[in-house]
Coordinates of all heavy atoms in Angstrom, one line a residue:
G1 N 107.1 98.8 38.7 CA 107.4 99.4 39.9 C 107.9 100.8 39.6 O 107.6 101.4 38.6
S2 N 108.6 101.4 40.6 CA 109.2 102.7 40.3 C 110.6 102.7 40.8 O 111.1 101.9 41.5 CB 108.4 103.7 41.1 OG 108.5 103.4 42.5
F3 N 111.3 103.7 40.3 CA 112.8 103.8 40.6 C 113.1 105.3 40.7 O 112.9 106.1 39.8 CB 113.6 103.2 39.4 CG 115.0 102.9 39.8 CD1 115.3 101.7 40.4 CD2 116.0 103.8 39.5 CE1 116.6 101.4 40.7 CE2 117.3 103.5 39.8 CZ 117.6 102.3 40.4
P4 N 113.7 105.7 41.8 CA 114.0 107.1 42.1 C 115.2 107.6 41.4 O 116.3 107.7 42.0 CB 114.1 107.1 43.6 CG 114.7 105.8 44.0 CD 114.1 104.8 43.0
L5 N 115.1 107.9 40.1 CA 116.2 108.4 39.4 C 115.8 109.5 38.4 O 114.7 109.3 37.8 CB 116.9 107.3 38.6 CG 118.2 107.6 37.8 CD1 119.3 108.0 38.7 CD2 118.6 106.4 37.0
I6 N 116.5 110.5 38.2 CA 116.1 111.6 37.3 C 116.9 111.4 36.0 O 118.1 111.3 36.0 CB 116.3 113.0 37.9 CG1 115.6 113.1 39.2 CG2 116.0 114.1 36.9 CD1 114.1 113.1 39.1
R7 N 116.2 111.5 34.9 CA 116.8 111.5 33.6 C 116.4 112.7 32.8 O 115.3 113.2 33.0 CB 116.4 110.2 32.8 CG 116.9 108.9 33.4 CD 118.3 108.8 33.1 NE 118.9 107.6 33.8 CZ 119.5 106.6 33.2 NH1 119.8 106.7 31.9 NH2 120.0 105.6 33.9
T8 N 117.2 113.2 31.9 CA 116.9 114.4 31.1 C 117.2 114.1 29.7 O 117.9 113.3 29.3 CB 117.7 115.6 31.6 OG1 119.1 115.3 31.4 CG2 117.5 116.0 33.0
L9 N 116.5 114.9 28.8 CA 116.7 114.9 27.4 C 117.2 116.2 27.0 O 116.6 117.3 27.2 CB 115.3 114.5 26.7 CG 115.3 114.4 25.2 CD1 116.2 113.2 24.9 CD2 113.9 114.1 24.7
A10 N 118.3 116.3 26.3 CA 118.9 117.5 25.9 C 118.1 118.5 25.1 O 118.2 119.7 25.2 CB 120.2 117.2 25.2
T11 N 117.1 118.0 24.3 CA 116.3 118.8 23.5 C 115.3 119.6 24.3 O 114.6 120.4 23.7 CB 115.6 118.0 22.4 OG1 114.8 117.0 23.0 CG2 116.6 117.3 21.5
G12 N 115.1 119.3 25.6 CA 114.1 120.0 26.3 C 112.8 119.3 26.4 O 111.9 119.7 27.0
R13 N 112.7 118.2 25.6 CA 111.4 117.4 25.6 C 111.5 116.3 26.7 O 112.6 115.8 27.0 CB 111.2 116.6 24.3 CG 111.0 117.5 23.1 CD 110.7 116.7 21.9 NE 111.8 115.8 21.6 CZ 111.6 114.5 21.3 NH1 110.4 114.0 21.2 NH2 112.7 113.7 21.0
P14 N 110.4 116.1 27.4 CA 110.4 115.0 28.4 C 110.6 113.6 27.7 O 110.2 113.4 26.6 CB 109.0 115.1 29.1 CG 108.2 115.7 28.1 CD 109.0 116.7 27.3
K15 N 111.3 112.7 28.4 CA 111.4 111.4 27.9 C 111.1 110.4 29.1 O 111.4 110.7 30.2 CB 112.7 111.1 27.3 CG 113.9 111.0 28.3 CD 115.2 110.6 27.6 CE 116.3 110.4 28.6 NZ 117.5 110.0 27.9
T16 N 110.6 109.3 28.7 CA 110.4 108.3 29.7 C 111.4 107.2 29.4 O 111.4 106.6 28.3 CB 109.0 107.8 29.8 OG1 108.1 108.8 30.2 CG2 108.8 106.6 30.7
V17 N 112.2 106.8 30.3 CA 113.2 105.7 30.1 C 112.6 104.5 30.9 O 112.2 104.6 32.1 CB 114.5 106.1 30.7 CG1 115.5 104.9 30.6 CG2 115.1 107.3 29.9
L18 N 112.6 103.4 30.2 CA 112.1 102.2 30.8 C 113.4 101.3 31.1 O 114.2 101.2 30.3 CB 111.2 101.4 29.9 CG 109.9 102.1 29.5 CD1 109.1 101.2 28.5 CD2 109.1 102.5 30.7
R19 N 113.4 100.8 32.3 CA 114.5 100.0 32.7 C 114.1 98.5 32.7 O 113.1 98.2 33.4 CB 115.1 100.3 34.1 CG 116.2 99.4 34.6 CD 117.0 100.0 35.6 NE 117.8 101.1 35.1 CZ 118.4 102.0 35.8 NH1 118.3 102.0 37.1 NH2 119.1 103.0 35.2
F20 N 114.8 97.7 32.0 CA 114.5 96.2 31.9 C 115.6 95.5 32.7 O 116.8 95.8 32.6 CB 114.6 95.7 30.5 CG 113.5 96.2 29.6 CD1 113.4 97.6 29.2 CD2 112.4 95.4 29.2 CE1 112.4 98.0 28.4 CE2 111.4 95.8 28.4 CZ 111.4 97.2 28.0
K21 N 115.2 94.5 33.6 CA 116.1 93.7 34.3 C 115.6 92.2 34.1 O 114.4 92.0 34.1 CB 116.2 94.0 35.8 CG 116.8 95.3 36.1 CD 117.0 95.5 37.6 CE 117.7 96.9 37.8 NZ 118.0 97.0 39.3
F22 N 116.6 91.3 33.9 CA 116.1 89.9 33.6 C 117.2 89.0 34.1 O 118.4 89.3 34.2 CB 115.9 89.7 32.1 CG 117.0 90.0 31.2 CD1 117.9 89.0 30.9 CD2 117.3 91.3 30.7 CE1 119.0 89.2 30.0 CE2 118.3 91.5 29.9 CZ 119.2 90.5 29.5
T23 N 116.7 87.8 34.4 CA 117.6 86.6 34.7 C 117.2 85.5 33.8 O 116.0 85.5 33.3 CB 117.5 86.1 36.2 OG1 116.2 85.8 36.5 CG2 118.0 87.2 37.1
L24 N 118.1 84.6 33.4 CA 117.9 83.6 32.4 C 117.9 82.2 33.0 O 118.5 82.0 34.0 CB 118.9 83.7 31.3 CG 119.1 85.0 30.6 CD1 120.3 85.0 29.7 CD2 117.8 85.4 29.8
K25 N 117.1 81.3 32.4 CA 117.2 79.9 32.8 C 118.6 79.4 32.6 O 119.2 79.7 31.6 CB 116.2 79.1 32.0 CG 114.7 79.5 32.3 CD 113.8 78.6 31.6 CE 112.3 78.9 31.9 NZ 111.4 78.2 31.2
G26 N 119.1 78.7 33.5 CA 120.5 78.1 33.4 C 121.5 79.1 33.8 O 122.7 78.8 33.6
G27 N 121.2 80.3 34.3 CA 122.2 81.3 34.7 C 122.3 82.4 33.7 O 121.9 82.3 32.5
G28 N 122.9 83.5 34.1 CA 123.0 84.7 33.3 C 122.0 85.7 33.7 O 120.8 85.4 34.1
K29 N 122.4 87.0 33.6 CA 121.4 88.1 33.9 C 121.8 89.3 33.1 O 123.0 89.4 32.6 CB 121.5 88.4 35.4 CG 122.8 88.8 35.9 CD 122.8 89.1 37.4 CE 124.1 89.5 37.9 NZ 124.1 89.8 39.4
G30 N 120.9 90.3 33.0 CA 121.2 91.5 32.3 C 120.2 92.6 32.6 O 119.2 92.4 33.3
S31 N 120.5 93.8 32.1 CA 119.7 94.9 32.3 C 120.0 95.9 31.2 O 121.1 95.9 30.6 CB 119.9 95.6 33.6 OG 121.2 96.1 33.8

């Protein structure tokens, strides 16, 4: 999907940040 957030890299190079979200069997979640 997409997510409307701007991220920057101090060196001036573009970077792509991937966001992971997950839920677990039996409970628990993270990102």
Side-chain angles (χ1 to χ4, degrees):
S2 61
F3 196 87
L5 181 67
I6 301 297
R7 294 286 174 125
T8 60
L9 184 64
T11 60
R13 295 185 302 133
K15 73 174 180 178
T16 296
V17 175
L18 299 178
R19 175 160 294 165
F20 292 72
K21 292 186 177 184
F22 59 93
T23 57
L24 302 173
K25 292 182 179 178
K29 62 182 180 178
S31 64

